[in-house]
Amino acid sequence: MDARETLRRYLEQRRDMGERELVLDDLSVDDVMRMLGASAGAVTADPPASPRAASSPNASSDIRTTDAPPDTADWRSVLRSVDAEAAPRAPRAADTPAPPPRTVSEPDEPAATPPANAEEELVPTADAPLGIIVGSTLRETAHGPLSHLTSLDDVARAVAACTLCELCKSARNPVPGDGSPTARLVCVGEAPGESEDATGRPFVGRAGQLLTKILAAIQLTREEVFICNVLKHRPPGNRNPTPDEIAACSPYLIRQLELIRPSVILAFGAFAAQTLLDSRQAIGKLRGFEHRYHGIPLVVTYHPAALLRNPNWKRPAWDDVKLARRILDSAANA
């Protein structure tokens, strides 16, 4: 594998983890690769330095102090050769203490009256620390603009007729989600991909096959859970969703959760986790906690598509899924 392809994979993995640093603050991966192409063959087949070494706190201290030919085994040197500077790295979990749990208020929504057993609801149901708390309970949103939709089929029909954003014009099929209307576990991903756009069903490609195996490992079938995405139509070219698209689609997801009232939400990937938790923290910092989304325990893990690209994440993902299973079992025994 040449240095260029290794760099691409590394940057994509960092994006999957929800981290944006170096040139990614302002540039896409494709922008970086175009810059590398402008280096007039400076990149050789030598592999770049490991991500761990590249992330050293002192790695960017000499960005402007050398005129020597770039060391093509170090992707930072390659970036320097095309005048791409490394931004200061963000503090890592080891540098700063984890933030305390916080409550996120919904904009333009009156504050909800805490339930009588609010203190009890803020106690984790499994052996994981309490994380971010969004809202209080689903009762807060039960009278929203989609409260007239009284079933998941109603939501699916509303999604199919939706014209609130431009995605409805480019997508082949809406992908509202499918599964059990009484599911105890809801799996939430980012957005439909090509296979999902073609079939109108979520998680049906290679990532979907892996998800089926993950569910089977905790004694669940696809028919027993509900699987959906934050976005209900595919973004062109699988690009990242825009804020307007998120705003248009989120009410459908919220209404689905109101109707299902699951015991656990399993958020796959940085985008789904950050959207539901209203957070910009990297997925590595969101994992390992029992968050609460309007009273529902929420567990964050890597997207199955990311696991296909980086098998090293399968072990931590398995830990996350087992946490979700323990929460399910605790809820059943409560």
Side-chain angles (χ1 to χ4, degrees), residues 167-184:
L167 293 183
C168 63
K169 298 179 181 178
S170 58
R172 296 168 62 184
N173 288 296
V175 187
D178 64 12
S180 171
T182 59
R184 297 176 58 226

Side-chain angles (χ1 to χ4, degrees), residues 181-196:
T182 59
R184 297 176 58 226
L185 175 69
V186 171
C187 301
V188 181
E190 173 180 336
E194 183 177 6
S195 298
E196 291 75 18

Side-chain angles (χ1 to χ4, degrees), residues 43-225:
V43 180
T44 70
D46 296 331
S50 69
R52 183 180 299 276
S55 298
S56 169
N58 299 321
S60 61
S61 60
D62 62 344
I63 290 298
R64 302 176 184 172
T65 61
T66 178
D67 295 324
D71 175 9
T72 56
D74 177 2
W75 59 268
R76 288 177 182 266
S77 297
V78 175
L79 293 178
R80 286 201 302 271
S81 72
V82 291
D83 297 324
E85 295 187 10
R89 73 176 181 86
R92 300 185 186 279
D95 302 330
T96 57
R102 62 185 180 88
T103 300
V104 178
S105 299
E106 294 289 338
D108 301 324
E109 184 178 359
T113 301
N117 60 341
E119 293 297 325
E120 180 180 349
E121 289 190 3
L122 293 181
V123 177
T125 56
D127 54 344
L130 194 65
I132 295 172
I133 301 168
V134 178
S136 178
T137 70
L138 283 176
R139 288 193 294 271
E140 296 177 3
T141 58
H143 301 290
L146 300 182
S147 59
H148 62 286
L149 303 177
T150 58
S151 71
L152 294 178
D153 287 340
D154 288 344
V155 176
R157 284 189 286 269
V159 168
C162 183
T163 58
L164 294 177
C165 72
E166 296 297 311
L167 293 183
C168 63
K169 298 179 181 178
S170 58
R172 296 168 62 184
N173 288 296
V175 187
D178 64 12
S180 171
T182 59
R184 297 176 58 226
L185 175 69
V186 171
C187 301
V188 181
E190 173 180 336
E194 183 177 6
S195 298
E196 291 75 18
D197 185 45
T199 62
R201 299 186 61 220
F203 283 87
V204 293
R206 290 182 61 215
Q209 295 170 12
L210 178 56
L211 173 57
T212 300
K213 294 178 181 178
I214 291 172
L215 293 173
I218 56 172
Q219 290 78 52
L220 291 171
T221 65
R222 289 180 66 108
E223 292 72 26
E224 293 177 283
V225 305

Side-chain angles (χ1 to χ4, degrees), residues 106 109 112-113 115 121 134-144 147 186 251 253-263 265 276 292-297:
E106 294 289 338
E109 184 178 359
T113 301
E121 289 190 3
V134 178
S136 178
T137 70
L138 283 176
R139 288 193 294 271
E140 296 177 3
T141 58
H143 301 290
S147 59
V186 171
L253 173 60
I254 292 173
R255 187 56 181 157
Q256 288 172 323
L257 294 172
E258 289 173 1
L259 292 168
I260 298 171
R261 297 187 176 275
S263 298
I265 300 170
L276 289 170
R292 293 291 173 86
Y293 180 80
H294 293 284
I296 304 173

Side-chain angles (χ1 to χ4, degrees), residues 28-51:
S28 68
V29 172
D30 287 338
D31 291 331
V32 175
M33 300 313 296
R34 281 195 291 273
M35 286 196 306
L36 289 177
S39 62
V43 180
T44 70
D46 296 331
S50 69

